Amino acid sequence: MTRIYRLSPSILSADFSKLGEQVRILEDAGAPWLHIDVMDGQFVPPVSFGDVVIRSVRPVSKMFFDVHMMVTEPDRFVDDYAKAGADMFTVHAEACAHLDRTLQHIHESGMKAGVALNPATPLQVLDYVLDKVDMVLIMTVNPGYGGQKYIPSMTAKIRDLRRKLDEAGYQDLPIEVDGGINASTIDTVLDAGASVIVAGSAVFRGDIAKNASDLMKRIHEKEISGS
Ligand code: DX5
Ligand code: ZN
């Protein structure tokens, strides 16, 4: 296996009156992943949507559903989201009392398991669960809202995590970054070692297909130039 490089457009910034149509535009533009932000009004202040939305988009798209659970005790939702059609289920380390058990539960349900870390959360929380993790999500803003500014100190965190993973033998484990990624910040995170790039406002503001293909081009250039 080699490390995956992907754009994962976040539907949080989509026009929900045209959700199916906008997802199809992205799929036709060649975006392989779709980032789906679930918020419960408790772990983060806003409420977004849940498995009902995933279930209704699933039949119109073959994209890989990359579900980001910004919810307290996400273990409660594992089975429902697997049934709804989620492919990757990413939980926040800060939101799980029993992270190791939750990761096992996600795998038993047939989904891939991701772990997300808020900006202030140290990388050490990953130390004893790495063998159960399919992707690490580094939040590059504080979660809860689209359209925020990239936090510059996260560049060193991405670099530290990449080094840590490489040294521990996890060269292929992808780092996803989420928050404030656009044409001006994408090269910084790619150079630091991220390979799955979430973008919400940078994709959905303006020409969706063009925005997505411009960002995918930058990701592909990094992929072929070698990490
Ligand atoms: C933030 C969400 C993000 C958000 C990113 O809490 O997890 O996925 O939609 O939005 P942008 O790309 O606009 O920062
Ligand atoms: Zn997200």
Side-chain angles (χ1 to χ4, degrees), residues 123-136:
L123 299 174
Q124 283 72 13
V125 299
L126 299 166
D127 281 355
Y128 301 102
V129 292
L130 273 181
D131 59 326
K132 301 190 177 79
V133 174
D134 299 302
M135 184 175 78
V136 179

Side-chain angles (χ1 to χ4, degrees), residues 151-171:
I151 299 174
S153 58
M154 292 302 102
T155 307
K157 189 176 185 183
I158 300 162
R159 208 180 297 123
D160 290 348
L161 174 59
R162 189 68 268 161
R163 194 180 313 120
K164 191 182 175 81
L165 294 176
D166 291 351
E167 284 172 7
Y170 293 95
Q171 291 86 351

Side-chain angles (χ1 to χ4, degrees), residues 20 28 47 57 59 83 93 109 112 118-119 123 137 157 166 168:
D28 291 346
V47 173
V57 182
K83 269 190 219 115
S109 79
K112 300 263 188 224
N118 282 337
L123 299 174
L137 166 51
K157 189 176 185 183
D166 291 351

Side-chain angles (χ1 to χ4, degrees), residues 76 91 164 172 187 189:
R76 299 175 290 152
V91 298
K164 191 182 175 81
D172 297 336
D187 289 335
V189 293

Side-chain angles (χ1 to χ4, degrees), residues 39-48 70-72 142-145 148:
M39 305 183 185
D40 67 350
Q42 191 179 359
F43 182 69
V44 290
V47 173
S48 60
M70 285 166 275
V71 309
T72 301
N142 288 292
Y145 308 93
Q148 301 182 77

Side-chain angles (χ1 to χ4, degrees), residues 10 12 35-39 68 70 137 139 176 178-179 198:
S10 165
L12 193 61
H35 188 79
I36 301 176
D37 284 310
V38 177
M39 305 183 185
H68 177 194
M70 285 166 275
L137 166 51
M139 288 305 302
E176 179 175 53
D178 185 4
V198 177

